[in-house]
Amino acid sequence: MVSFESLKSEYDRNWASLQIRPGRLADANAVARKAINGKATYQQVERLTDVPWHFIALCHYRESNFDFDTYLGNGEALNRATTLVPKGRGPFASFVDGAVDALRIEDFVGAKDWSAARTLFRLEAFNGFGYHAKGVNSPYLYGGSTLYGPPEANAGKFVRDHVFDPGHVDSQLGTAVILHAMMSLDPSITLDDSPAVAGRAEPEDDMVSTILLMQQALNRLGANPQLAEDGISGPRTKGAVSQFQQQNGLKDTGLLDAATIAAITRATQASPVGQPGDLSQVMKRLEDLAQLLRGGALQPGTPPSGKPQPDPTPAASDPISLFERLLSLVNKTAPMPGTATTPTSPVPVDQLKQVVDLLSTLLNKDNKPVLGQVNGALGETIGKLLDGKKTALGIGGSLITALLSAVTASPNAGGLAGLFGTIASAVPGLSQFAMPISLALTAWGVLGKLEKWAQGTAPPPKPTS
């Protein structure tokens, strides 16, 4: 897996030794002047995101050669929704609005480490890290410098997907070369080489493990071409995500949003473990639990001998007997291993009724509802405070979080758009932690209602007029 820490020393070494080739210096200075000419606009984006203006300028050069009528994320026109990854973004009223959206998607908003090494790492991540395996410095960073191409260094270029030509020399200027020229023309540009706060991860680092898991999952699901499992959401990974979304009826964005991550996880977990209605694995776990409850666990594969038959009418105060009775009833409804089952074979109603009666006995004590584990999870005081409100709060929180993750912070926006945009930009990565909390609160509320119905303590339905 690619990580910043594993490449940091290489970036530091290359930046310290970078020299622009004399024959390319004029070209590099010309590009650097174009970047500096847009400084005022880039600084508007910087004020909204804390991303350095010179980094934004380099991304803009890479995507659209400084065209301010394009979206920073992929170079498409601002006046219509994007069709390339990231798809469905916009339309945007201005370059600034689109740039803020693109930087938020890349998890750059709120980043604090903008040292030379981290800047080069982020720039190379846009194009991929395949050159490291070829023993070549990436021309995307170092094209036009003595670090790439003969006689001082190795040549080579990926001329198309998976095709590397070791004799090809890329003629385009690298982004590190342009940054070097910009710094010589504008002394106000500095790279913060102060050490990062101990134990503090950058925003994009938090997503590495999730992206890696999704790359592995997509490869198992047959991604073509196979993805490099590097934890970087590059163009190839975004393309595979887009293809999965199209095949599974999801909104086609190419981004690993919560719905897509959940769908990929479900798809990889789906496996032909057993036929529908085959409860053999469930029964095995129930039997293991029964052994633990009895306190006499047997060795695997050893049949019980001399086991007393459970009382057909167990006492409510004897949970072990109740469990064994429930186990025997479920055994009657489960097919024997190796026995074919059909969807048209209903479970006898009287057996289901006995199971429900036993479950009701387990959920009650002295014929009175006991405090449920769900609604009483945080104690009586908090339980009463949230009683009847958890589901509504969770659904409301999920909707608000979804809205915040979709809006763009605009300095000229008013009303709700301006409010939501301000909140979204002020709290980087909001949806990554707010959405799971809201969904969990919703699930807690639903489980609490089911628990009340099982105990018979749910309020009666309100009369309708």
Side-chain angles (χ1 to χ4, degrees):
M1 183 180 76
V2 174
S3 70
F4 169 67
E5 292 302 327
S6 66
L7 299 175
K8 181 180 182 302
S9 60
E10 178 183 328
Y11 288 129
D12 284 332
R13 183 172 59 253
N14 284 347
W15 180 252
S17 60
L18 188 147
Q19 295 181 16
I20 301 175
R21 294 184 182 278
R24 303 304 307 276
L25 183 58
D27 294 337
N29 285 335
V31 175
R33 290 190 189 95
K34 285 185 178 180
I36 294 172
N37 287 340
K39 180 176 180 179
T41 303
Y42 300 135
Q43 285 179 326
Q44 292 183 48
V45 182
E46 178 178 5
R47 285 192 288 271
L48 293 168
T49 62
D50 286 335
V51 178
W53 73 266
H54 55 266
F55 179 85
I56 300 168
L58 292 169
C59 295
H60 196 202
Y61 165 75
R62 173 183 62 86
E63 291 298 342
S64 62
N65 196 26
F66 305 119
D67 185 348
F68 283 99
D69 291 324
T70 59
Y71 176 61
L72 184 66
N74 56 24
E76 290 192 86
L78 286 172
N79 60 1
R80 60 176 182 268
T82 58
T83 57
L84 301 175
V85 175
K87 300 180 182 178
R89 313 306 295 184
F92 297 98
S94 68
F95 172 81
V96 172
D97 290 348
V100 171
D101 180 80
L103 294 171
R104 183 183 295 124
I105 287 174
E106 295 293 338
D107 288 314
F108 291 156
V109 178
K112 300 300 181 185
D113 181 4
W114 290 102
S115 62
R118 180 67 81 160
T119 298
L120 297 183
F121 175 77
R122 287 173 174 146
L123 288 170
E124 187 170 10
F126 278 114
N127 197 55
F129 295 92
Y131 286 96
H132 291 270
K134 302 296 183 181
V136 178
N137 288 321
S138 172
Y140 180 78
L141 289 178
Y142 306 111
S145 78
T146 56
L147 295 173
Y148 172 76
E152 297 89 352
N154 293 332
K157 178 177 172 60
F158 284 98
V159 292
R160 55 182 181 275
D161 279 350
H162 302 293
V163 178
F164 179 78
D165 183 351
H168 189 101
V169 178
D170 194 337
S171 60
Q172 289 188 326
L173 292 171
T175 49
V177 168
I178 297 169
L179 177 58
H180 195 280
M182 288 173 66
M183 294 180 69
S184 66
L185 296 174
D186 186 345
S188 70
I189 301 174
T190 58
L191 299 180
D192 181 14
D193 289 313
S194 60
V197 178
R200 185 192 183 282
E202 290 293 277
E204 74 265 33
D205 293 340
D206 296 335
M207 286 297 294
V208 168
S209 58
T210 299
I211 295 170
L212 175 61
L213 289 173
M214 292 301 100
Q215 288 171 331
Q216 293 170 341
L218 288 168
N219 281 337
R220 289 197 296 272
L221 293 172
N224 187 18
Q226 287 277 291
L227 303 175
E229 297 175 0
D230 55 10
I232 303 296
S233 185
R236 226 172 265 166
T237 296
K238 288 185 174 75
V241 170
S242 174
Q243 185 179 37
F244 177 88
Q245 290 168 331
Q246 294 173 29
Q247 295 171 346
N248 290 271
L250 299 170
K251 185 178 180 180
D252 181 11
T253 64
L255 303 176
L256 284 168
D257 52 42
T260 302
I261 291 173
I264 293 174
T265 303
R266 284 196 301 271
T268 55
Q269 290 175 345
S271 58
V273 176
Q275 297 297 323
D278 181 5
L279 303 180
S280 58
Q281 297 297 322
V282 177
M283 291 310 304
K284 177 64 172 64
R285 294 191 179 190
L286 284 173
E287 288 165 359
D288 292 342
L289 179 57
Q291 290 290 342
L292 291 174
L293 283 172
R294 282 192 292 268
L298 301 176
Q299 295 295 325
T302 305
S305 59
K307 171 185 169 183
Q309 294 298 319
D311 186 350
T313 56
S317 60
D318 185 359
I320 297 178
S321 298
L322 281 169
F323 179 83
E324 290 182 338
R325 176 61 176 154
L326 178 62
L327 182 62
S328 66
L329 285 170
V330 177
N331 264 317
K332 292 179 183 178
T333 67
M336 297 298 292
T339 304
T341 61
T342 61
T344 58
S345 302
V347 176
V349 176
D350 59 335
Q351 289 185 8
L352 286 178
K353 184 177 183 303
Q354 293 178 64
V355 171
V356 172
D357 290 342
L358 280 168
L359 288 172
S360 299
T361 305
L362 288 167
L363 287 169
N364 288 269
K365 182 178 181 181
D366 300 328
N367 295 322
K368 296 180 181 179
V370 297
L371 178 63
Q373 294 182 359
V374 175
N375 287 308
L378 296 180
E380 184 176 359
T381 301
I382 298 179
K384 288 182 178 179
L385 180 64
L386 295 178
D387 189 23
K389 304 180 182 68
K390 294 186 288 293
T391 305
L393 289 172
I395 294 175
S398 301
L399 291 174
I400 292 173
T401 303
L403 285 172
L404 290 176
S405 64
V407 299
T408 300
S410 171
N412 302 316
L416 287 177
L419 175 62
F420 284 167
T422 301
I423 296 173
S425 61
V427 188
L430 175 67
S431 62
Q432 294 181 20
F433 62 85
M435 183 62 80
I437 292 174
S438 299
L439 295 176
L441 189 60
T442 303
W444 184 18
V446 173
L447 289 174
K449 285 178 171 58
L450 293 173
E451 182 178 65
K452 287 181 181 179
W453 292 334
Q455 293 177 337
T457 60
K462 296 181 180 179
T464 57
S465 57

